[in-house]
């Protein structure tokens, strides 16, 4: 589902990874959070290396999360990939 947000509002959101999505699956190196802005531009808000911490409050299903403001800059991931 696409979420249309201004860049300023994106920092109020979290990267969520459902526990069910990770069960019986190979490990993932990087999780990337992306949003669509109000003018339909795709913004890669940042990334998290490995699985984020388990969530500490009630949501409908168990999940791991990282606040968008705490994600590493996507530019760092791009540089790392280009240098490997």
């Amino acid at each position: 589902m696409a979420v249309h947000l201004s860049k300023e509002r994106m920092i109020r959101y979290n990267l969520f990874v459902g526990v069910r999505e990770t069960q019986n699956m190979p490990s993932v190196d990087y999780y990337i959070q992306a949003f669509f802005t109000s003018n339909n531009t795709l913004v890669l808000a940042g990334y998290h290396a490995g699985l984020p911490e388990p969530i500490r409050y009630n949501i409908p299903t168990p999940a791991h999360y990282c606040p968008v403001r705490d994600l590493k800059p996507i530019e760092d991931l791009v540089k790392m990939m280009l240098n490997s």
Side-chain angles (χ1 to χ4, degrees):
M1 177 174 81
V3 177
H4 295 275
L5 300 169
S6 68
K7 290 181 182 181
E8 296 78 32
R9 288 185 54 210
M10 288 178 204
I11 62 169
R12 299 180 189 166
Y13 288 84
N14 297 303
L15 164 70
F16 281 101
V17 181
V19 168
R20 290 185 205 144
E21 296 174 37
T22 62
Q23 292 174 336
N24 302 318
M25 298 293 289
S27 63
V28 174
D29 293 332
Y30 303 101
Y31 290 88
I32 297 172
Q33 179 66 58
F35 295 101
F36 283 101
T37 64
S38 56
N39 64 354
N40 288 325
T41 301
L42 178 66
V43 175
L44 301 176
Y47 78 96
H48 190 279
L51 193 60
E53 294 295 317
I55 198 162
R56 305 236 187 271
Y57 53 88
N58 290 334
I59 61 171
T61 59
H64 297 264
Y65 86 109
C66 180
V68 167
R69 68 181 176 274
D70 294 342
L71 295 174
K72 295 178 183 174
I74 201 71
E75 293 85 7
D76 294 353
L77 182 60
V78 171
K79 288 176 188 174
M80 190 173 22
M81 293 172 73
L82 290 175
N83 291 329
S84 61

